[in-house]
Amino acid sequence: MREKPAGGVSGYFAIVGAIALLLAAVLMGIIGFVMSFAQVAVGVVLFIVAVLCFIASMFLFRGCTSVAPGHAVVLQLYGKYVGTVRQSGLRFVNPFYTKDQISTRIRNHETSTLKVNDLDGNPIEIGAVVVWQVRDTAQAMFEVDDFEEFVAIQAETAVRHIANSYAYDSSDPRRMSLRDNADEITSRLSDEVAARVMAAGVTVIESRITQLAYAPEIARAMLQRQQATAVVAARQLIVEGAVGMVETAIEEIEGRQIVRLGQSERSDLVSNLMIVLCGDQAAQPTISTTRNQQSAG
């Protein structure tokens, strides 16, 4: 079922006519009631006309409906969908129509904090907010039982599925993770939520992960793992830089012919430089006199 327009007509003329008929009904009812006591046949006629005018005014009042900005009115005739009035203001439709008002404003739905397992099996806590809007009022009204509850359930289902499909974090840059690829993950979350709520005539404007953390029972252990991974990565970078510096130092020494280095001297120099460059603490310089003593002897 798809939405179709049912604009109706301006309700201001109907409301004016309803008020005029109501006043005429009251006036003719009073005159007819008084004349009926005088046993005048015209009084009975006026009283009957007054009743008819009153019924007509009630029909006009019933056919008037106000549509607020950001809302739409779904019309039904004895259970059959007739159309939707989206034009704001006072509108007049068939008095026998059943009118249901639906908000078409942009809404937010924030999921509760969900505890799920990521792709690696680690328990995490995740939450998201979904910005959505009713696009097709007929689908929202008739395709699902309660479209607001439907959006809430489908949003949580999509969040759980996304959390199960990716790891919380990853040391492999080619592997997407929830923490490191937030933009790509939220884009896929929006696409999945939009596909799930399409049946309810709802369009998803934006989705965003608002909370992401390890579950409390493993948070400490995972923090230690992250710290260890960071230390290993830092050490690897330091070693790579130190090797390059040692290589450059040896090339400069030999290229400028500052001193001739044998194999043992080269090994000692490399060992000392690596200790100095890769050590956690500042190096304590020492002076070796062994070579000088050997030379003097």
Side-chain angles (χ1 to χ4, degrees):
M1 183 174 292
R2 295 294 182 268
E3 177 183 317
K4 55 184 178 181
V9 297
S10 176
Y12 296 102
F13 297 104
I15 202 74
V16 171
I19 294 174
L21 286 174
L22 183 60
L23 293 176
V26 172
L27 180 61
M28 287 188 293
I30 294 174
I31 295 174
F33 185 75
V34 172
M35 294 180 67
S36 63
F37 277 102
Q39 296 182 353
V40 179
V42 179
V44 177
V45 175
L46 288 176
F47 189 80
I48 295 174
V49 173
V51 172
L52 294 176
C53 289
F54 177 79
I55 295 175
S57 66
M58 292 299 102
F59 269 97
L60 290 177
F61 277 122
R62 179 176 171 78
C64 293
T65 181
S66 60
V67 183
H71 289 75
V73 176
V74 179
L75 305 177
Q76 300 179 64
L77 179 62
Y78 301 119
K80 180 182 178 181
Y81 173 64
V82 177
T84 300
V85 180
R86 284 185 175 266
Q87 185 177 353
S88 60
L90 185 63
R91 311 298 296 173
F92 178 78
V93 296
N94 190 330
F96 293 101
Y97 287 166
T98 301
K99 300 176 281 291
D100 296 295
Q101 194 166 110
I102 294 180
S103 175
T104 57
R105 295 175 180 174
I106 298 175
R107 313 187 200 186
N108 289 327
H109 171 72
E110 185 173 3
T111 65
S112 57
T113 301
L114 307 175
K115 187 175 180 180
V116 297
N117 292 335
D118 66 355
L119 184 62
D120 294 335
N122 300 316
I124 63 174
E125 292 182 346
I126 187 171
V129 61
V130 178
V131 183
W132 60 280
Q133 185 181 26
V134 174
R135 172 183 49 83
D136 192 304
T137 57
Q139 285 185 295
M141 189 72 182
F142 305 112
E143 294 292 338
V144 294
D145 187 25
D146 186 339
F147 66 91
E148 293 182 358
E149 182 181 1
F150 183 81
V151 171
I153 294 175
Q154 295 302 321
E156 292 190 1
T157 304
V159 171
R160 289 182 181 274
H161 182 258
I162 289 293
N164 292 331
S165 302
Y166 300 95
Y168 178 86
D169 60 357
S170 176
S171 58
D172 187 357
R174 296 171 298 178
R175 183 187 182 193
M176 292 182 61
S177 63
L178 296 172
R179 188 184 66 174
D180 299 331
N181 303 95
D183 294 336
E184 294 86 348
I185 298 299
T186 52
S187 177
R188 297 190 179 186
L189 176 61
S190 297
D191 295 339
E192 181 162 348
V193 176
R196 290 177 178 271
V197 301
M198 186 181 298
V202 172
T203 179
V204 175
I205 299 174
E206 182 187 12
S207 297
R208 185 70 56 181
I209 295 177
T210 56
Q211 182 177 355
L212 181 64
Y214 281 114
E217 58 267 24
I218 67 162
R220 184 178 181 85
M222 300 309 294
L223 178 61
Q224 292 176 349
R225 192 188 75 171
Q226 290 177 1
Q227 292 174 345
T229 302
V231 170
V232 171
R235 287 293 182 185
Q236 183 178 1
L237 183 62
I238 291 173
V239 170
E240 291 177 357
V243 170
M245 294 174 66
V246 170
E247 183 179 4
T248 302
I250 294 176
E251 290 178 354
E252 289 290 331
I253 291 174
E254 294 181 345
R256 296 183 183 182
Q257 298 181 352
I258 298 174
V259 64
R260 290 186 177 183
L261 298 175
Q263 187 64 30
S264 60
E265 287 85 358
R266 289 168 63 93
S267 299
D268 293 340
L269 179 60
V270 170
S271 176
N272 292 334
L273 286 177
M274 291 298 294
I275 292 174
V276 171
L277 295 174
C278 299
D280 290 334
Q281 299 178 354
Q284 299 294 329
T286 58
I287 299 176
S288 175
T289 60
T290 303
R291 186 179 298 276
N292 295 333
Q293 291 176 357
Q294 292 176 352
S295 298

